[in-house]
Amino acid sequence: MAIGLHNSDFKNPVVRWIDQRMPIFTMMQKEYGTFPTPRNFNYFWNFGALAMVNLMIMIATGIFLAMHYTPHTAYAFDSVERIMRDVNFGWLIRYVHMNGASMFFIVVFIHIWRGMYYGSYKAPRELLWMLGVVIFLLMMATAFMGYVLPWGQMSFWGATVITNLFSAFPVVGDWIVALLWGGFSVDNPTLNRFFSLHYLMPFVIVGVVFLHVVALHITGSNNPLGVEPKGPQDTLPFHPYYTAKDSFGLVIYFIVFASLVFFVPNMLGHPDNYIPADPLVTPAHIVPEWYFLPFYAILRAVPDKLGGVLLMFGSIAVLFVLPWLDSSPVRSMRFRPIARISFLLWTVCFFVLMYCGAMPAEEPYVTVSRIATAYYFAYFLVILPLLGRLERPLPLPESIARAVLGGGPLPAGAAAKPMEKA
Amino acid sequence: MVGMADSGGAAATDGTPRRDFLNLVTASFAAVGVGAVAWPFIASMQPARDVLALASTEVDLAPIAEGQAVTVMWRGKPVFVRHRSAAEVTAAREVPISQLPDPAPDQARVQKDQWLVVLGVCTHLGCVPLGQKPTDARGDYGGWFCPCHGSHYDTAGRIRKGPAPRNLEVPQYAFTSDTKIRIG
């Protein structure tokens, strides 16, 4: 690599001066301006950008909440109520943060679903996918610890139940639980470390998101057809085509977000969390936040403590090896008739588990949870590996341009030329 | 590609003003939006309502004998309440106004002659001046003396010597009865 000033294409003298010494403008132009992006994205491809915006909103509101929050068992609940009543716009900032967590999981669930339906996890995007699973795990840890901070009844008992999960592990279990608690039960030391880690984790997520995006910009995006772009006729520059499409999606996202914040801010929360934590009284019916319900249902579906914990962690760990479990070379479910139905059924099971997780642990929910859990894992461990061998996929289109523009065979030169202008 | 050709044709005729208008409207909308979002965040850093609710302090003057002074906390800062003797009042009023660095007549700084109420914060760099206790150094003019950088205040709390630019500030206060004041 040549030493010296970068050869900048920018005309503006100030931009050019900076760009020659530190080519961030060239980099942004390359990665977000002219970046060649498949021309056939549908709106499912908005959700990565939405997740990025959501993360920024969570960090911004979180920093301002931390200015008013007191991480001490004696003051935490009251300091949150003070934010709601006395701090200027504190109610707004807290409701945005609270519902922002729900929005984040909605966005990320759809983002993951998109990846699973269109086979975005397959080669060469395995590492991109695995980094995504890491982000998802970090998000879950962050959300859990954040939910403990208001120190209401659900905070306290949620923390008690989740930290006790680790006691299921033989030999090291009790040691890990004591490590999480910093004492003999969930108490002030627990609250303090959860606050510290809740503040740290989002920045770790930012780091992994950066790697996720780096990996994405090496392999390029997948697309609804799952066919790699073969040339300029198959792609569009990211700007203005997808900046505009993402902006439109963002407006819809903000409408949904604002509706939650301003009209039903507590709809997705649990009223018991507005009762201060009491270590002597367990609420009659403990449920985690809605986004943990499917995994909670898997935990409860197993009649064995360690087995339930392992299966619950396994339900996410299995995603790490998904690129190797699904051996079919065809990415998009559009061309996999049997896998498509199997996956849509898996999606139904996910919602069934979510519903069962919110219900009390009694019949018929236990049996239903068991059936749904069995299918959840069967899809990954049995159906996908078998379908890779047995399924006959539909014929794939020759190229993205051919599929999008339709019609008969196009002379290669004629198809490519007008695209280059764009 | 038909759509692209159309917009290209429009650009050739009246596209430029239209594009300028769209850019301007978009940028204005974005600026208003950013401002509207930033405002609650900035406002949240201003004093909260519970802080403002504690913004006044009541002081009972009855137990303060002539020559004595008390210090009370008001909005996190010390307020000096001094029961001045007749001699101190006279000393404060005999000084020609023209000799003062920050000219102000004593009468304008008190509501009742014997009661002087000032913020105990030096107008130089915010230290608390000495002079509330009988054993404190009161400076060359019998009021207060700031040990940080050597500012001397007189018996009306006015700066007389040293680096401080202004007199000790008189907070807003009112007599709620003959022997009670409410500061703030």
Side-chain angles (χ1 to χ4, degrees), chain A residues 64 68 82 85-86 88-89, chain B residues 41 43-44 46-50:
Chain A
F64 280 83
H68 303 285
R82 181 179 170 270
R85 291 149 200 257
D86 286 338
N88 305 313
F89 293 102
Chain B
F41 285 91
S44 77
Q46 287 290 337
R49 275 174 277 182
D50 62 326

Side-chain angles (χ1 to χ4, degrees), chain A residues 158-178:
Chain A
T160 301
V161 169
I162 302 294
T163 50
N164 266 315
L165 289 181
F166 293 91
S167 70
F169 294 115
V171 188
V172 290
D174 289 334
W175 185 82
I176 294 175
V177 173

